[in-house]
């Protein structure tokens, strides 16, 4: 499976002092439940399995639909390009931390899903964070799934193929794919409704982690090998942040507005269109906008600037030579010409770009979560002090005099 010549490509391993584990969590099997991938510091395991980057073929189908290409053709192409890649984390490895971990909730972009930002999430976990990468059920993910109860006749007929050997036999999986805009449909009402649901899903993930931390027994519908009781009293829920890319960047703003337990937010190349104007003055927490050089435009930046404040820290930097897809894992998984053709790669080395993004994020999180780490060594990056960074934006915004 996958492309043999891709041996030099892959998601870079995390750089922090901790080994990284990951597991999947779904509580409440319906579409209203919480579904996320958890990244966490773990015990180094000898033979720990690394999970597939794309969990199963339905996600390839979802990406095809999102990109408006033929499913059967694209499945072969995607499988050839990406089928063999693994996430740089140990599946279901035992949790290990000598101190309480601050918590990050991560929100993916339009047409993405929970596994596509593993380089960022694994890096945060390697630096001592517990990270829940939410898979959104607002029809903005290219694909996701939930379960419904089988009918009595289906349950009685056990000759039916099981949907998954890790799920109770009484449940059957149902896939939800990306919903494209209908012809003539106005975009804002749909996206605004979605961003509100996405924020609710981020808050629900935090609520689930709060229950797990307090020792409440949780029922993971996906019967993984991970022992959730080991997370009891392991998280510092006074130190929580929300991070997201693109539509996930808008989700960061909406989540901060709705939930004061999030102490700060980092918005990666945020797409601001889904947000109501009245949301901006209601956000009271610090925000860090980390933008790519090629994606942003004046109207979008001017909406970010509505969040500028004399009393709350609001920062913005732009990484030179980056494109919108410099933040998800795709940027590491294609050769130069395909990467640039598909706009998955910018002019800058992708590892350097993400390294700057991660270090600036860690410095910002230390500052606003009150962490006692050494991330403040990267404080200058918050102000764009690096040859590969621009302080603020490269986009010219004409300020109105109103």
């Amino acid at each position: 499976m996958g492309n043999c010549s891709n041996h030099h490509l892959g998601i870079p391993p995390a750089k922090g002092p901790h080994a990284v584990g990951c597991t999947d969590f779904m509580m409440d099997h319906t579409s209203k439940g919480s579904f996320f991938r958890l990244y966490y510091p773990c015990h180094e395991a000898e033979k720990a399995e690394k999970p597939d980057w794309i969990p199963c073929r339905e996600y390839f189908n979802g990406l095809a639909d999102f990109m408006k290409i033929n499913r059967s053709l694209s499945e072969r192409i995607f499988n050839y390009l990406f089928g063999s890649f693994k996430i740089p984390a140990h599946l279901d490895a035992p949790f290990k931390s000598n101190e309480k971990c601050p918590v990050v909730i991560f929100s993916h972009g339009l047409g993405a899903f929970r596994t596509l930002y593993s380089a960022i999430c694994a890096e945060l976990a390697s630096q001592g964070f517990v990270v829940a990468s939410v898979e959104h059920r607002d029809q903005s993910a290219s694909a996701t799934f939930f379960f419904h109860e089988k009918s009595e006749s289906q349950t009685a007929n056990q000759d039916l193929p099981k949907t998954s050997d890790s799920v109770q036999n009484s449940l059957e999986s149902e896939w939800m794919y990306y919903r494209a805009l209908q012809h003539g449909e106005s975009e804002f009402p749909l996206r605004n409704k979605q961003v509100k649901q996405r924020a609710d899903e981020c808050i629900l993930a935090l609520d689930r982690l709060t229950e797990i931390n307090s020792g409440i027994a949780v029922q993971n519908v996906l019967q993984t090998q991970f022992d959730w009781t080991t997370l009891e009293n392991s998280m510092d829920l006074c130190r929580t942040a929300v991070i997201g890319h693109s539509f996930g960047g808008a989700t960061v703003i909406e989540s901060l507005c709705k939930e004061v337990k999030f102490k700060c937010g980092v918005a990666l190349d945020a797409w601001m269109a889904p947000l109501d104007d009245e949301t901006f003055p209601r956000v009271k927490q610090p925000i860090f906008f980390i933008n790519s050089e090629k994606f942003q435009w004046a109207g979008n930046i001017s909406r970010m600037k509505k969040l500028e404040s004399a009393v709350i820290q609001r920062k913005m930097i732009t990484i030179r030579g980056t494109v919108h897809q410099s933040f998800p894992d795709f940027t590491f998984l294609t050769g130069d010409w395909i990467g640039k053709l598909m706009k998955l790669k910018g002019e800058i080395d992708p590892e350097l770009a993400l390294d700057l993004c991660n270090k600036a994020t860690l410095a910002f999180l230390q500052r606003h979560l009150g962490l006692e780490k050494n991330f403040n060594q990267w404080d200058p990056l918050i102000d764009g002090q690096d040859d590969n960074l621009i302080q603020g934006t490269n986009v010219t915004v004409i300020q109105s005099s109103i």
Side-chain angles (χ1 to χ4, degrees), residues 253-296:
I253 311 300
E254 187 73 30
S255 300
L256 292 171
C257 179
K258 284 186 156 188
E259 180 51 83
V260 294
K261 288 178 190 161
F262 291 122
K263 296 296 187 284
C264 64
V266 180
L268 309 173
D269 230 10
W271 176 47
M272 302 295 285
L275 296 162
D276 288 308
D277 283 348
E278 52 265 33
T279 301
F280 301 130
R282 290 165 48 200
V283 180
K284 306 300 183 198
Q285 303 96 313
I287 301 168
F288 190 14
F289 291 103
I290 302 180
N291 293 337
S292 73
E293 190 176 13
K294 298 285 190 265
F295 173 71
Q296 293 298 337

Side-chain angles (χ1 to χ4, degrees), residues 25 34-36 38 101-106 130-134 198-214 218 235-242 255-256 258-264 285:
F25 178 85
S34 188
F35 184 24
F36 55 80
L38 197 77
C101 300
V103 173
V104 166
I105 307 296
F106 190 92
V130 164
V131 184
S133 179
V134 174
R198 287 165 140 261
D200 289 342
E201 289 171 341
C202 288
I203 295 161
L204 185 59
L206 182 60
D207 291 344
R208 291 290 169 256
L209 290 180
T210 304
E211 288 171 13
I212 290 163
N213 193 61
S214 64
V218 293
M235 291 174 261
D236 187 344
L237 292 160
C238 298
R239 292 184 165 93
T240 62
V242 57
S255 300
L256 292 171
K258 284 186 156 188
E259 180 51 83
V260 294
K261 288 178 190 161
F262 291 122
K263 296 296 187 284
C264 64
Q285 303 96 313

